[in-house]
Amino acid sequence: MLYDVLIVGGGPAGLGAAINAAKAGASVLLLDENHLLGGQLFKQIHKFFGSQDHYAGWRGIDIGQKLLREAAEAGVKIKLNSRVVGCLEDGLISVYEEQTGKLIGYKSKKVILAVGAKENAVSFPGWTLPGVMTAGAAQTFANVHGVLPGKKILVIGSGNVGLIVSYQLTQAGADIVAIVDALPGISGYGVHASKVSRLGIPFYLKHTISRASGEDRVQSAEIVQIDKSFDPIPGTEKQFKVDTVLLAVGLSPKVELATMLGCDFHYEPRLGGHTILHDKNMETSVKGVYVCGDLAGVEEASTALEEGRLAGVAAAESLGYLEPSQALRLKKDIWKNLNELRKGTFGEARRDAKEHLLTMLKEVGSGRVV
Amino acid sequence: MCRIINHPIVEREERKNVTIYVDGKKLEAKEGEMIAAALLANNIHTFRYTKKQREPRGIFCGIGQCNDCVMIVDGVPNTRTCVTPVRDGMVITTQKGLGKIGDHNAL
Ligand SMILES: Cc1cc2nc3c(=O)[nH]c(=O)nc-3n(C[C@H](O)[C@H](O)[C@H](O)COP(=O)(O)OP(=O)(O)OC[C@H]3O[C@@H](n4cnc5c(N)ncnc54)[C@H](O)[C@@H]3O)c2cc1C
Ligand code: FES
C-alpha cells in the first residue's frame, strides 16, 4: 500500500506528526525500532513546565499515554520493532523488521523523520568499565525497567538531563555523591538545579573526571579541577567511592537518515551540533521530506511535540487534506506555542538558533528531489 | 537487589517471575523485562569481554544504540540485552570476543 505519510520515529515529535496528519485525513504509517512507542517520553517522570495549555504540570509518562490513545483513535498504522536502515534516492525507505529478520521497502508521498538524538560521551581512562554509562541509560533502567543500575553514583554534566536524572535516581533510592561540570556555572535550569541542591548533592564546577577504576566494575572515580584552558591542575584530584559514573554531556541530532536522503544540514552548537535545515513548515531542502523534534535541533519533549504537529499539518496540507486557510489557523496556533516554549535565557538562545537555521535554508527543494 | 520497590511516582504492576539461566546459574527474572534489567537486578554488571584486550563491558546507552551490552542469548551471539526481553527458560551466556553461533555453555 502507498501511504500518504510515512513517519520514522514514534517519540513525541513523531506521535504529534502522526496524530495531526491522520486527523486531517491522510493515511499514516508510523515506524519505530523500539518495541514500544513514546521515545524518551516514558522515562520522563517529572512534571513539565511551560504554558498552561501546554501540558504544564503533566508528567512525560502521562503525556505519552494520551498521545498513544490519540494516535490509535486517529487511525495511525503503527509498526514497532521496525528499524529504518536506509533512505534511498528514489524515496524508498528500507526497514529491517526485527521479528522476521526481513528487509522491507516502503514508499510514501511524504516522509517525516523524527528519529531524535543520541547521547554524547566523553572518554577518560576507565570509561569502558561496566558502571560507566550515559545518564539516559540510568534514567531508562530506573524509570522504565524499575531497576537501579547502581547505588553510589557520580554524575558528569550539569545540564538538564544531568540534573533531572540525579533527582530521579535519588527518588528511586540511589545516592548521588556529586555532579561535576567543566564550566564555571551550572548548565541546566535553575528550577532543576535548586531541586538537586535541596537534596544536598554537591556540585564540583570547573572540574572534570580524570579516571574510573575497578576490576570488573567501577569501584572508584577521580575528578580534577581544570584551568581556563580546560587543562587539569595537578594536586587538585579528588577520589570518590562509587559504583557508577553517569555521562550527561549533551545530545546530538541523529542526522544519518536525513543526510542519506540528501537534506542539507548546518553545524549549530546551540542545538546539539549538526542539525537538519528546515523551513517554517519543518520541510527540508528535499521536497516532501520533513524533520521535527530533536532531529531538527535538540530541545525538549514539549517543543518536539509541537514541531511534530507542525510537520503533520504541513504534510496534510500539501497533500490537499487541509484548505490553506484551515492549515494556516492550525499552524499559527503551533507557532504561538513554540514561541511560548522558547522563552527565558535558555529558550531564547534556542529560538535565535532556530531562526538562524531558517535563514540558512536556501529553499525547499534546493536539494535533491525525492 | 536493586529492584526499585515503592517508587514515589511510578506505579508498577506485579509481574510474574520467570527463570533464566546465566552462565549456567539459575536466576529469577520478571516476565517481559529486558535481559539487562534482569541481570542488573541480580547484581550482574559484566556482560561480555572484548576480543583482543579481554576487557569487561556492560550496559552503556541502555536503548539499543551502542552494542556494548551484547551477550549470547539462546545460542545467538551479539544479542543486545538492553532491548531483548527475557523468556522463561532463556539461556544467557557471557560473550567472550565475537561469539560463535550456537555457543551454549549453560545447563
Ligand atoms: C536519553 C534521553 C533523555 C532525555 N531526557 C529528557 C528529559 O528528562 N526531559 C526533557 O525535556 N527532555 C529530555 N530529553 C530530550 C528530548 O529532547 C525530548 O525529551 C524528546 O523526547 C525528543 O523527542 P523526539 O520525538 O524528537 O525524539 P525521541 O523521543 O528520542 O524519539 C525518537 C524515536 O525514534 C525512534 N527511532 C530512532 N531511529 C530510528 C530508526 N532508524 N528507525 C525507526 N525508529 C527509530 C526511537 O526508537 C524513538 O522512539 C532526553 C533525551 C534523551 C536522548
Ligand atoms: S547498552 Fe547500548 S545497545 Fe545495549
Side-chain angles (χ1 to χ4, degrees), chain A residues 59-225:
Chain A
R59 298 184 195 279
I61 29 180
D62 303 323
I63 300 174
Q65 294 296 357
K66 180 164 183 285
L67 294 178
L68 294 190
R69 278 196 304 276
E70 282 180 27
E73 278 161 24
V76 174
K77 167 94 182 146
I78 293 162
K79 274 187 185 285
L80 300 171
N81 299 306
S82 302
R83 186 189 316 178
V84 175
V85 288
C87 293
L88 307 184
E89 249 175 87
D90 59 357
L92 193 72
I93 305 292
S94 346
V95 183
Y96 174 71
E97 277 193 352
E98 194 103 24
Q99 253 117 28
T100 57
K102 278 195 189 139
L103 203 57
I104 298 175
Y106 286 100
K107 267 209 149 198
S108 63
K109 296 178 188 157
K110 305 283 168 190
V111 175
I112 301 179
L113 298 174
V115 292
K118 53 178 173 270
E119 292 186 270
N120 300 337
V122 281
S123 60
F124 46 86
W127 79 292
T128 56
L129 268 177
V132 179
M133 67 188 76
T134 66
Q139 193 183 30
T140 308
F141 276 91
N143 297 349
V144 182
H145 305 322
V147 174
L148 270 178
K151 298 238 162 78
K152 284 183 91 67
I153 302 175
L154 180 70
V155 177
I156 313 300
S158 70
N160 284 325
V161 172
L163 297 175
I164 292 173
V165 171
S166 296
Y167 187 78
Q168 292 173 351
L169 291 176
T170 311
Q171 277 182 321
D175 176 15
I176 309 292
V177 299
I179 301 175
V180 177
D181 203 304
L183 296 175
I186 295 172
S187 315
Y189 289 148
V191 196
H192 294 315
S194 50
K195 271 170 85 173
V196 166
S197 298
R198 264 180 267 136
L199 295 174
I201 299 172
F203 285 92
Y204 287 89
L205 302 173
K206 295 194 216 161
H207 276 75
T208 190
I209 180 160
S210 43
R211 89 174 47 245
S213 320
E215 274 293 316
D216 262 1
R217 186 182 176 191
V218 173
Q219 283 159 332
S220 67
E222 180 190 87
I223 65 167
V224 63
Q225 203 179 329

Side-chain angles (χ1 to χ4, degrees), chain B residues 59-69 80 82:
Chain B
I59 56 163
F60 187 72
C61 72
I63 50 172
Q65 294 182 354
C66 74
N67 290 298
D68 239 15
C69 65
R80 292 169 303 162
C82 67

